[in-house]
Amino acid sequence: SESDMDEVLEYMKENEAPPKDALFGVAKGKNVIYIHLESFQQFLLDYQLEGQTVTPFLNSIYHDASTFSFPNFFHQVGQGKTSDAETMLETSLFGIQQGSVFTQYGTENTFQAAPAILKEEGYTSASFHGNGGSFWNRDNTYRSLGYDYFFDSSYYSNEKNMLAEYGLKDKIFLKESVKYLEQLQQPFYSKFITVSNHFPYPEDELNADFPRGKTGDSSIDGYFQTAHYLDEAVQEFFKYLKDSGLYDNSIIVLYGDHYGISTSRNPTLAPLLGKDEDEWNSYNNAMMQRVPFMVHIPGQTGGMFEQYGGQTDVLPTLLHLLGISTTDYVQFGTDLFSEKHNQVVAFRNGDFVTPKYTKMGATVYDTATGNVLEDLTPAQQEEIDQAEQSVDTRLGLSDKVINGDLLRYYTPANFSPVDKAAYNYHKQME
Ligand code: GP9
Ligand code: MN
């Protein structure tokens, strides 16, 4: 009900995480280019398979002086997979307990999402994806988020040898996207959702210039090959951005949406990570939920930032870099650079990771060592209880916002509600 919104706003007020002065607005007015790295886990960065580097280009971006890199960043998706990652990055709300916000609430609900927030600052917005527009109900949800443009598969080549199960192969997709990107009014907010590195990571004879793993599980073995292909695709895309002149006026944000190797397959992967298959446990599974988060800002000095965080933290972090206050918005994440950033990373099932504690089911581990913590001191118990409460509060309130469509009762200052009817992405109807 409408009064539930008061509780949400109260939470926001009490948990505000103000920006770090030195970084507030460092990317003001720049184009934003998100590169969605499908199913890409953090362990792939700097990884060598039998002496060969899997993702040399992404490694170079990860370590580049102009990149703000977060080695302790976790995905927080549930059943909504890619669409949950999009929900969190666009809105700083969580996905829902079961199903997907995009498919169940995307059409009808009120959102205060990145495209609409940035529209107030003069931004144009566009999502690019080489799959059919109705997948995950994107075509409807993007209208609710306020996307100006959605370039789905109907805007791209569709010869059979260019397609994989989930759409256009990444190299072709990114290459053909540039002609649309160049036409966008600047500054723009854009995202490119790749698909080639998607389960079951099938072999593609045209693009198999990397060895497969030898575990005997074909999805694990192929994962390195398709990740390598994605790496080359991103490298080519950076070249297009430089050639078009867009690179210098843009910030490029790269993120992994969720795991590529499922929990049930992790023991088979374990030996490739120098771990014993038989000693693999839920702590190891939790650590495997790290995904890349890198903010590349040409001309700025970045670095490695060890703070813990997750996908709900992306929007407030981005807005502050762009010099936009988040005070009036309903966002469950906090700016990763803020002194007040909440380092309790909530998984969708209520488990969590903090720099000190990893809670998986009923077991609490020491995050640094992986040892099970038994006989907790009162001080430890207190910290764990507080972390748990933070997780439960955020997940619970986010669920209320979505289930009750509560944002329809609240319009932030300097924000114009989205007019869904104003958007139509069908090519043939232009
Ligand atoms: C499909 C793609 C894959 O369009 O985004 O989604 P996923 O299966 O990873 O949720
Ligand atoms: Mn995905």
Side-chain angles (χ1 to χ4, degrees):
S1 73
E2 194 163 349
S3 63
D4 286 337
M5 196 58 207
D6 297 338
E7 191 190 351
V8 173
L9 293 173
E10 190 62 31
Y11 173 87
M12 293 302 147
K13 213 172 178 175
E14 281 168 14
N15 294 277
E16 187 170 358
K20 190 184 175 78
D21 283 343
L23 290 174
F24 187 77
V26 292
K28 197 172 177 56
K30 299 256 190 203
N31 302 314
V32 178
I33 300 172
Y34 271 101
I35 304 178
H36 168 113
L37 304 171
E38 178 58 42
S39 304
F40 196 103
Q41 290 176 232
Q42 178 75 11
F43 85 85
L44 288 169
L45 294 178
D46 293 336
Y47 186 77
Q48 293 196 337
L49 181 72
E50 292 160 26
Q52 289 200 58
T53 305
V54 182
T55 59
F57 182 72
L58 290 168
N59 298 349
S60 75
I61 295 297
Y62 183 53
H63 295 290
D64 190 276
S66 297
T67 306
F68 298 80
S69 294
F70 294 86
N72 297 310
F73 182 89
F74 294 75
H75 84 77
Q76 299 170 288
V77 312
Q79 293 174 349
K81 302 302 294 283
T82 294
S83 72
D84 278 357
E86 290 192 68
T87 297
M88 289 185 273
L89 267 75
E90 300 288 7
T91 69
S92 191
L93 303 174
F94 287 92
I96 45 179
Q97 235 166 338
Q98 265 160 20
S100 152
V101 173
F102 268 41
T103 50
Q104 288 166 240
Y105 297 94
T107 307
E108 298 299 335
N109 267 27
T110 296
F111 295 96
Q112 287 139 15
I117 295 170
L118 291 171
K119 197 181 203 77
E120 304 292 338
E121 312 288 321
Y123 276 74
T124 307
S125 53
S127 176
F128 299 78
H129 184 48
N131 197 1
S134 62
F135 203 97
W136 283 127
N137 193 33
R138 285 185 175 101
D139 47 359
N140 292 311
T141 305
Y142 284 169
R143 296 165 69 223
S144 304
L145 302 181
Y147 264 105
D148 292 316
Y149 304 101
F150 176 25
F151 299 94
D152 74 348
S153 55
S154 64
Y155 288 82
Y156 297 89
S157 299
N158 60 1
E159 279 99 86
K160 208 162 178 290
N161 65 349
M162 297 180 167
L163 300 172
E165 190 179 343
Y166 290 90
L168 200 59
K169 294 180 194 175
D170 295 343
K171 287 185 186 177
I172 304 164
F173 163 61
L174 292 171
K175 182 174 192 175
E176 293 190 4
S177 294
V178 180
K179 63 175 181 286
Y180 299 121
L181 187 64
E182 282 176 332
Q183 303 294 319
L184 290 183
Q185 167 106 21
Q186 296 186 48
F188 55 71
Y189 169 85
S190 63
K191 69 170 164 186
F192 295 83
I193 303 171
T194 63
V195 295
S196 296
N197 189 48
H198 193 290
F199 184 85
Y201 317 107
E203 179 141 35
D204 175 354
E205 272 154 31
L206 290 175
N207 286 295
D209 61 347
F210 196 80
R212 294 171 65 79
K214 294 194 181 71
T215 68
D217 178 325
S218 76
S219 69
I220 295 176
D221 296 345
Y223 187 52
F224 300 97
Q225 210 168 40
T226 50
H228 179 74
Y229 171 81
L230 171 57
D231 184 72
E232 290 180 343
V234 174
Q235 178 168 28
E236 291 177 8
F237 189 55
F238 267 71
K239 189 177 181 312
Y240 305 141
L241 293 176
K242 286 183 177 165
D243 291 349
S244 67
L246 288 169
Y247 175 82
D248 293 316
N249 298 324
S250 301
I251 78 171
I252 301 163
V253 185
L254 303 104
Y255 70 95
D257 62 340
H258 50 72
Y259 65 66
I261 306 298
S262 65
T263 294
S264 63
R265 288 188 151 86
N266 276 339
T268 310
L269 178 68
L272 295 184
L273 304 173
K275 296 246 158 42
D276 189 335
E277 174 167 359
D278 299 321
E279 281 162 26
W280 192 269
N281 62 16
S282 65
Y283 166 80
N284 301 117
N285 285 331
M287 297 301 107
M288 290 299 281
Q289 308 314 310
R290 284 184 170 87
V291 291
F293 180 59
M294 319 179 218
V295 184
H296 182 70
I297 312 183
Q300 291 288 328
T301 304
M304 274 302 155
F305 295 83
E306 305 285 336
Q307 53 266 54
Y308 280 57
Q311 288 164 327
T312 53
D313 300 320
V314 171
L315 179 59
T317 304
L318 175 78
L319 291 176
H320 287 168
L321 290 171
L322 298 177
I324 298 164
S325 165
T326 57
T327 307
D328 292 319
Y329 290 111
V330 173
Q331 298 176 342
F332 288 99
T334 49
D335 179 349
L336 290 160
F337 296 114
S338 172
E339 299 282 334
K340 287 259 181 71
H341 168 59
N342 185 351
Q343 293 197 82
V344 179
V345 184
F347 293 132
R348 181 55 259 198
N349 65 0
D351 290 342
F352 60 80
V353 178
T354 82
K356 276 182 156 173
Y357 306 109
T358 297
K359 183 173 171 294
M360 294 292 277
T363 311
V364 181
Y365 299 90
D366 178 330
T367 297
T369 63
N371 295 334
V372 176
L373 289 173
E374 277 158 326
D375 306 322
L376 300 167
T377 67
Q380 285 178 319
Q381 190 62 56
E382 166 91 22
E383 286 180 332
I384 294 163
D385 288 347
Q386 271 177 18
E388 183 148 24
Q389 199 182 28
S390 166
V391 168
D392 292 347
T393 304
R394 279 179 286 156
L395 290 171
L397 289 178
S398 178
D399 287 346
K400 274 191 187 175
V401 167
I402 290 165
N403 295 330
D405 189 14
L406 296 185
L407 296 180
R408 73 191 139 140
Y409 301 124
Y410 170 73
T411 303
N414 306 313
F415 180 84
S416 313
V418 172
D419 175 12
K420 301 180 197 229
Y423 306 107
N424 183 347
Y425 310 126
H426 294 290
K427 197 181 180 193
Q428 58 275 22
M429 295 177 78
E430 271 183 346

